[in-house]
Every structure is written in structure tokens, then in C-alpha cells.
Amino acid sequence: MSDYTKFIASVKQKTGIDLSLYKEAQMKRRLTSLYEKRGCNNFTEYFELIRNDRSMMDEFLDRMTINVSEFYRNSQRWDVLNKKILPQLLQKTKKLKCWSAACSTGEEPYSMAMVLSNHLPLREISISATDLDNGVLEKAKVGLYPERSLKEVPLDVKQKYFKQEGQFFQVTDEVKKTVVFKQHNLLDDAYGNDFDLIVCRNVMIYFTEEAKDQIYTNFAKALKPGGILFVGSTEQIFSPERYGLESEDTFFYKKI
């Protein structure tokens, strides 16, 4: 048994996180550079380090989760959400149940709130936002971002919902109040149900095919009939009907 295989087993026993469901080459490369940086020679030494040091465990969790995000990423898709998807959903109900899964540092759920505000008052918007990494959730709750994260935000939205503070931009409190952040493991935790909209973008590319199949199955179960799953621009679902979904637009899937 390789030391990485033993490491996977030890991490699962310690944290409940199953690293075998992530693509091995990518994960090994990412973690090898991290343990070398911390002076370890192999995964066995590295597990002893993270087992005994909370800050090293937090760093490990931060590295194994993919925290690259920005507001309105692939802005044309957000235009489709705004002009086509949301009007359809709001014909059925004015109180949408929305989930931003694997939300990273919060750019995605805050983008959702800003787009929804074109259709509803902010006080009527409620979004559940989840991620495996508590560290990024704490950053998301603060809502302070470098200018590069806002490069696709429309100017009127930037002026309305952000306040510049030096080199950074602060999301307004009225937007922050629309989002509730909590920790959630897509590979292990319960998903909830009756969602009108689930957004999970640019995360699935890091999972094995087995893990993707499990997650898409769970997303489909969590949607109400007619609900929409919005995925990333590299994550087109082939044969969505196997999950009880159908294509509504590019990267948008409706529960049949």
C-alpha cells in the first residue's frame, strides 16, 4: 500500500473526507507541493503534522478545496439566468429556494443575490451557500474582495452593491443579509430538497466520474420538479436524462 493510499484512509477516518473521490493526479500534485513546503518528506509525515496541528489541518482543507472564484464569472451565462431562467421560475412562485453549492469565498451566492434583485426586493431573497472549507466561509461572511474579483460585474451593479475600501471592495450589508453560509460536504452530507435553483459551478472538474455521478444524482433529487441546476462552463452534463434532468439552455438543466 502506497503512503498516499494510507494517507487517504487516515484522512477519511479523521475527517470523514474521502480523497479517493477526487482526481488522484491533481490532488497528489497539490498536496505534495504543500507537504514539501512544510518540511515533510512523504504523506505519512504530513498526516502526523496535520493530525497534531489545527492550523496545518485548516491549511490542508483549504488546499484540497478549489477556492478560485469571481463575481459574474462567464457573464453571458448570468445574463441567461437573469433574462430567461429566473422569469420562468418566478412565474411559479415569488419565494425561490436557492442554493449556492461549493460557494468558495462567496462571490457566487452574492452574484445570485444581485441578479435576483432585478426581479425581487433584496429583503425577499434568501440563499443558502455551502462549502467544505470553513476558512473560505469565514472570508465569504466578511464580503471583502480585491478589484480583480469584480472584473465582470456590470458598472451599475458595482456602484449599487459595493463600497470601495482602499484597494478592496466591500459587499453592502443588504446583499450580505440575503445569504446564509454553512459548512457542507457534497460527497457525504444530506442535500435538502425542494430547491428552485441550485448553482454549482467550476467544481465538478476536480472529481472522479463516480463522484460526479453521485453528486448530480443528489442535486436532481434536491430540486423540485421544474427546478434548475446551473453548472460551470466546462461541466456540460452529457445524457442529463439519466438524472431526470433535461437541458433548458447551455449549462442550465431542468428537473423533469
Side-chain angles (χ1 to χ4, degrees), residues 86 90 93-96 98 113-126 160-161 178:
L86 289 177
L90 288 164
T93 177
K94 293 300 179 186
K95 191 166 181 63
L96 297 180
C98 303
M114 293 170 195
V115 173
L116 274 162
S117 75
N118 293 323
H119 305 271
L120 296 168
L122 282 171
R123 65 180 180 276
E124 295 179 14
I125 297 169
S126 179
K160 187 175 184 180
Y161 291 133
T178 67

Short mmCIF file of all heavy atoms in Angstrom, two decimals, residues 86 90 93-96 98 113-126 160-161 178:
data_model
loop_
_atom_site.label_atom_id
_atom_site.label_comp_id
_atom_site.label_asym_id
_atom_site.label_seq_id
_atom_site.Cartn_x
_atom_site.Cartn_y
_atom_site.Cartn_z
N LEU A 86 -34.69 32.94 -14.47
CA LEU A 86 -35.42 33.48 -13.31
C LEU A 86 -36.85 33.89 -13.64
O LEU A 86 -37.77 33.59 -12.84
CB LEU A 86 -34.64 34.66 -12.70
CG LEU A 86 -33.35 34.28 -11.98
CD1 LEU A 86 -32.62 35.51 -11.47
CD2 LEU A 86 -33.62 33.30 -10.83
N LEU A 90 -39.98 32.42 -11.55
CA LEU A 90 -40.81 33.34 -10.78
C LEU A 90 -42.26 33.36 -11.25
O LEU A 90 -43.12 33.93 -10.57
CB LEU A 90 -40.21 34.74 -10.83
CG LEU A 90 -38.93 34.90 -10.00
CD1 LEU A 90 -38.18 36.16 -10.39
CD2 LEU A 90 -39.25 34.91 -8.50
N THR A 93 -43.56 30.80 -8.52
CA THR A 93 -43.51 31.20 -7.12
C THR A 93 -42.68 32.46 -6.98
O THR A 93 -41.72 32.65 -7.73
CB THR A 93 -42.93 30.10 -6.22
OG1 THR A 93 -42.85 30.59 -4.86
CG2 THR A 93 -41.52 29.70 -6.67
N LYS A 94 -43.07 33.32 -6.04
CA LYS A 94 -42.31 34.54 -5.80
C LYS A 94 -41.30 34.36 -4.67
O LYS A 94 -40.52 35.26 -4.37
CB LYS A 94 -43.26 35.70 -5.46
CG LYS A 94 -44.15 36.12 -6.62
CD LYS A 94 -43.33 36.59 -7.82
CE LYS A 94 -44.20 36.99 -8.98
NZ LYS A 94 -43.42 37.32 -10.19
N LYS A 95 -41.29 33.17 -4.07
CA LYS A 95 -40.33 32.91 -3.00
C LYS A 95 -39.47 31.73 -3.41
O LYS A 95 -39.84 30.57 -3.20
CB LYS A 95 -41.05 32.64 -1.67
CG LYS A 95 -40.12 32.63 -0.48
CD LYS A 95 -40.90 32.69 0.81
CE LYS A 95 -39.99 32.70 2.04
NZ LYS A 95 -39.11 33.87 2.10
N LEU A 96 -38.35 32.03 -4.02
CA LEU A 96 -37.48 30.98 -4.55
C LEU A 96 -36.57 30.42 -3.47
O LEU A 96 -36.00 31.16 -2.66
CB LEU A 96 -36.62 31.54 -5.69
CG LEU A 96 -37.34 32.04 -6.94
CD1 LEU A 96 -36.33 32.54 -7.96
CD2 LEU A 96 -38.21 30.94 -7.55
N CYS A 98 -33.12 28.83 -3.01
CA CYS A 98 -31.88 28.83 -3.81
C CYS A 98 -30.70 28.31 -2.99
O CYS A 98 -30.58 28.61 -1.80
CB CYS A 98 -31.57 30.24 -4.29
SG CYS A 98 -32.88 31.02 -5.25
N ALA A 113 -27.62 36.85 -5.54
CA ALA A 113 -28.48 37.83 -4.88
C ALA A 113 -28.62 39.09 -5.74
O ALA A 113 -29.72 39.64 -5.87
CB ALA A 113 -27.91 38.19 -3.51
N MET A 114 -27.53 39.52 -6.33
CA MET A 114 -27.56 40.74 -7.14
C MET A 114 -28.41 40.55 -8.40
O MET A 114 -29.15 41.45 -8.80
CB MET A 114 -26.13 41.15 -7.49
CG MET A 114 -25.32 41.61 -6.29
SD MET A 114 -23.56 41.83 -6.67
CE MET A 114 -22.87 41.92 -5.00
N VAL A 115 -28.29 39.37 -9.02
CA VAL A 115 -29.12 39.09 -10.19
C VAL A 115 -30.59 38.96 -9.79
O VAL A 115 -31.48 39.50 -10.46
CB VAL A 115 -28.62 37.81 -10.91
CG1 VAL A 115 -29.58 37.41 -12.03
CG2 VAL A 115 -27.23 38.03 -11.49
N LEU A 116 -30.85 38.28 -8.70
CA LEU A 116 -32.23 38.14 -8.22
C LEU A 116 -32.86 39.49 -7.88
O LEU A 116 -34.07 39.67 -8.01
CB LEU A 116 -32.26 37.23 -6.99
CG LEU A 116 -32.34 35.72 -7.25
CD1 LEU A 116 -31.92 34.94 -6.03
CD2 LEU A 116 -33.75 35.33 -7.68
N SER A 117 -32.02 40.44 -7.47
CA SER A 117 -32.55 41.76 -7.09
C SER A 117 -33.13 42.51 -8.29
O SER A 117 -33.83 43.51 -8.11
CB SER A 117 -31.46 42.61 -6.43
OG SER A 117 -30.53 43.10 -7.39
N ASN A 118 -32.86 42.02 -9.51
CA ASN A 118 -33.51 42.59 -10.69
C ASN A 118 -34.99 42.21 -10.76
O ASN A 118 -35.76 42.82 -11.52
CB ASN A 118 -32.83 42.10 -11.97
CG ASN A 118 -31.41 42.62 -12.12
OD1 ASN A 118 -31.12 43.75 -11.76
ND2 ASN A 118 -30.51 41.77 -12.62
N HIS A 119 -35.36 41.21 -9.96
CA HIS A 119 -36.72 40.68 -10.02
C HIS A 119 -37.48 40.77 -8.70
O HIS A 119 -38.71 40.77 -8.69
CB HIS A 119 -36.68 39.20 -10.45
CG HIS A 119 -35.95 38.98 -11.74
ND1 HIS A 119 -36.56 39.02 -12.97
CD2 HIS A 119 -34.63 38.73 -11.98
CE1 HIS A 119 -35.66 38.80 -13.92
NE2 HIS A 119 -34.49 38.62 -13.35
N LEU A 120 -36.73 40.82 -7.60
CA LEU A 120 -37.33 40.82 -6.27
C LEU A 120 -36.60 41.81 -5.37
O LEU A 120 -35.41 42.05 -5.54
CB LEU A 120 -37.22 39.43 -5.63
CG LEU A 120 -37.95 38.25 -6.26
CD1 LEU A 120 -37.46 36.94 -5.65
CD2 LEU A 120 -39.46 38.39 -6.08
N PRO A 121 -37.28 42.38 -4.37
CA PRO A 121 -36.57 43.19 -3.37
C PRO A 121 -35.58 42.31 -2.60
O PRO A 121 -35.86 41.12 -2.35
CB PRO A 121 -37.69 43.68 -2.45
CG PRO A 121 -38.96 43.47 -3.20
CD PRO A 121 -38.73 42.31 -4.11
N LEU A 122 -34.45 42.86 -2.23
CA LEU A 122 -33.44 42.07 -1.51
C LEU A 122 -34.00 41.45 -0.24
O LEU A 122 -33.61 40.33 0.13
CB LEU A 122 -32.22 42.95 -1.18
CG LEU A 122 -31.25 43.22 -2.33
CD1 LEU A 122 -30.23 44.27 -1.93
CD2 LEU A 122 -30.55 41.93 -2.76
N ARG A 123 -34.92 42.13 0.42
CA ARG A 123 -35.46 41.60 1.68
C ARG A 123 -36.26 40.31 1.47
O ARG A 123 -36.53 39.58 2.42
CB ARG A 123 -36.34 42.64 2.37
CG ARG A 123 -37.60 43.01 1.61
CD ARG A 123 -38.43 44.06 2.35
NE ARG A 123 -39.64 44.40 1.60
CZ ARG A 123 -39.68 45.28 0.62
NH1 ARG A 123 -38.57 45.92 0.27
NH2 ARG A 123 -40.82 45.54 -0.02
N GLU A 124 -36.65 40.02 0.22
CA GLU A 124 -37.40 38.81 -0.08
C GLU A 124 -36.51 37.69 -0.64
O GLU A 124 -37.02 36.64 -1.03
CB GLU A 124 -38.52 39.13 -1.08
CG GLU A 124 -39.57 40.08 -0.53
CD GLU A 124 -40.66 40.41 -1.54
OE1 GLU A 124 -40.75 39.71 -2.57
OE2 GLU A 124 -41.41 41.38 -1.31
N ILE A 125 -35.22 37.91 -0.66
CA ILE A 125 -34.28 36.94 -1.23
C ILE A 125 -33.55 36.21 -0.11
O ILE A 125 -33.07 36.81 0.84
CB ILE A 125 -33.25 37.65 -2.14
CG1 ILE A 125 -33.96 38.28 -3.34
CG2 ILE A 125 -32.17 36.66 -2.62
CD1 ILE A 125 -33.08 39.21 -4.15
N SER A 126 -33.52 34.88 -0.22
CA SER A 126 -32.79 34.06 0.75
C SER A 126 -32.03 32.96 0.01
O SER A 126 -32.63 32.20 -0.75
CB SER A 126 -33.75 33.44 1.77
OG SER A 126 -33.04 32.64 2.69
N LYS A 160 -23.88 50.13 -7.07
CA LYS A 160 -25.02 49.96 -6.17
C LYS A 160 -24.73 49.06 -4.98
O LYS A 160 -25.18 49.33 -3.84
CB LYS A 160 -26.21 49.40 -6.96
CG LYS A 160 -27.51 49.33 -6.19
CD LYS A 160 -28.66 48.89 -7.10
CE LYS A 160 -29.99 48.89 -6.36
NZ LYS A 160 -31.11 48.47 -7.25
N TYR A 161 -23.97 47.98 -5.22
CA TYR A 161 -23.85 46.94 -4.19
C TYR A 161 -22.45 46.74 -3.62
O TYR A 161 -22.23 45.80 -2.86
CB TYR A 161 -24.37 45.61 -4.74
CG TYR A 161 -25.87 45.61 -4.97
CD1 TYR A 161 -26.41 45.13 -6.15
CD2 TYR A 161 -26.74 46.08 -4.00
CE1 TYR A 161 -27.79 45.11 -6.36
CE2 TYR A 161 -28.11 46.08 -4.19
CZ TYR A 161 -28.63 45.59 -5.37
OH TYR A 161 -29.99 45.59 -5.57
N THR A 178 -28.82 38.54 2.58
CA THR A 178 -29.61 37.59 1.79
C THR A 178 -29.02 36.18 1.81
O THR A 178 -29.68 35.23 1.39
CB THR A 178 -29.72 38.03 0.32
OG1 THR A 178 -28.43 37.97 -0.30
CG2 THR A 178 -30.27 39.44 0.20
#
